[in-house]
Amino acid sequence: MPHSRKVVIIGSGPAACTAAVYAARAGLEPLMFGGVMMGGQLMITTDVENFPGFPEPVAGPDLMDRMRKQCERLGVGVVSEFVSKVELSSRPFHVETTEGKSALADALIVATGADARYLGLPSETRLKGRGVSACATCDGFFFRGKEVCVVGGGDTAIEEALFLSRMTSKVTVIHRRDKLRASVVMQERARANPKIAWAWNALVSEVLGTDAVTGVRLKDVKTGDPRELPCQGVFIAIGHTPNTAFLAGQLKLDSAGYIETDGRGRTSVAGVFAAGDVMDPRYRQAVTAAGNGCIAALEAERFLTSEA
């Protein structure tokens, strides 16, 4: 028989854990489906310096371990399996995992996050957290006074480059074309910035370095000629993919696949709420995700109370 809960939470990052804490304290006995590697994007993050309450840097996995233990102390049920299917056409909502476990939920909170897109290079994977990053806001601080590269040509890439230019000595934007996709305003700001340089018609074929990034090897897309560009950091800014495939069109999504909400975590289906990066393509921070999780849990409680 499926578990029957007032609140089921899908996800295990800061948004999901915060929602679980608030739901548990409200007596809703939440059940959280967290996947095999619980913790979300913070599990591949090294030092976190911008999460409130930690005077010293805390490793991403350590921060998530604390959140998970807090959930467990409050009696949150945790299932370390991925959700493969949901049925949202009627309540209670039905949730099913890849391993065949299922649950029924009077209210559902989706906090499955979004995965950064990477280039898919073995050297890139090896040096993640050692100079390779997909979040300038998270990791830019560690590159003060150093030379870095940003890979991409859209608004996200240019925003990252502008942000990094405040603290680094030089930012080189690497783009595979000779024109940017970013908005005109963003392009103008970047071109006027003396710290930003450009590598046009270039693809990154390898990230260089053994224990830390020392540069990138580029390939000219027109001539095929290789060259090396020294740098100490590589920021990949080619977009994110929200983890919404399992919803199978049952919730309203925006053009990029993020769940649309009303600003209070409420989705297009009454009783279903969303929190964190799965509905926030702009900020993508642990602290904003946690705030979203709090809002979603409070709204879920109010929704259930209104029906009592």
Side-chain angles (χ1 to χ4, degrees):
M1 290 292 292
H3 294 281
S4 183
R5 297 294 181 102
K6 292 179 180 177
V7 174
V8 167
I9 300 163
I10 307 175
S12 62
C17 287
T18 305
V21 165
Y22 272 80
R25 285 175 52 82
L28 300 178
E29 301 179 341
L31 180 65
M32 181 166 68
F33 289 95
V36 176
M37 187 182 75
M38 294 190 60
Q41 289 291 299
L42 282 181
M43 296 303 290
I44 56 172
T45 303
T46 50
D47 287 345
V48 179
E49 292 197 319
N50 54 7
F51 198 86
F54 291 86
E56 300 298 325
V58 57
D62 290 342
L63 178 58
M64 291 315 307
D65 182 59
R66 295 188 185 201
M67 290 189 188
R68 184 178 65 252
K69 288 177 178 177
Q70 183 181 19
C71 290
E72 292 171 348
R73 180 179 66 82
L74 291 170
V76 177
V78 178
V79 179
S80 298
E81 296 180 12
F82 289 108
V83 169
S84 58
K85 184 169 59 175
V86 294
E87 177 53 61
L88 307 180
S89 59
S90 62
R91 294 178 54 226
F93 305 120
H94 184 266
V95 178
E96 187 175 319
T97 74
T98 51
E99 302 299 320
K101 289 185 180 177
S102 59
L104 299 175
D106 293 325
L108 182 68
I109 297 175
V110 182
T112 46
D115 293 333
R117 296 178 194 148
Y118 285 90
L119 302 173
L121 303 171
S123 56
E124 171 195 53
T125 302
R126 179 172 53 81
L127 290 167
K128 280 183 186 177
R130 298 179 178 183
V132 173
S133 172
C135 180
T137 309
C138 308
D139 299 326
F141 175 84
F142 302 110
F143 297 88
R144 288 186 177 276
K146 298 180 179 181
E147 294 188 11
V148 300
C149 297
V150 174
V151 181
D155 277 347
T156 298
I158 301 307
E159 285 177 6
E160 300 266 274
L162 289 166
F163 176 83
L164 289 165
S165 71
R166 302 174 196 166
M167 58 198 74
T168 60
S169 61
K170 182 181 179 181
V171 181
T172 301
V173 176
I174 302 170
H175 188 41
R176 59 184 177 178
R177 300 185 178 91
D178 57 3
K179 294 180 181 179
L180 297 171
R181 293 179 289 105
S183 63
V184 174
V185 172
M186 296 298 294
Q187 291 190 45
E188 290 176 347
R189 291 176 184 171
R191 293 179 189 279
N193 191 315
K195 284 189 175 182
I196 296 179
W198 308 90
W200 302 108
N201 298 311
L203 293 174
V204 176
S205 59
E206 184 180 0
V207 180
L208 305 174
T210 303
D211 297 319
V213 170
T214 59
V216 291
R217 181 171 289 115
L218 302 180
K219 176 183 177 181
D220 189 297
V221 298
K222 292 187 175 180
T223 66
D225 294 338
R227 69 182 176 102
E228 292 185 6
L229 180 66
C231 64
Q232 290 78 55
V234 180
F235 290 83
I236 311 300
I238 56 177
H240 287 71
T241 302
N243 296 314
T244 54
F246 70 97
L247 296 170
Q250 298 181 79
L251 289 180
K252 187 176 181 181
L253 310 178
D254 68 13
S255 58
Y258 291 87
I259 298 174
E260 291 192 356
T261 66
D262 64 350
R264 290 162 57 183
R266 299 183 299 189
T267 71
S268 57
V269 174
V272 179
F273 305 85
D277 290 6
V278 75
M279 48 72 69
D280 175 21
R282 184 173 181 84
Y283 297 107
R284 297 193 297 268
Q285 299 297 299
V287 68
T288 54
N292 293 156
C294 168
I295 292 169
L298 291 174
E299 289 295 329
E301 180 189 4
R302 289 169 183 167
F303 172 79
L304 293 172
T305 301
S306 69
E307 293 194 328

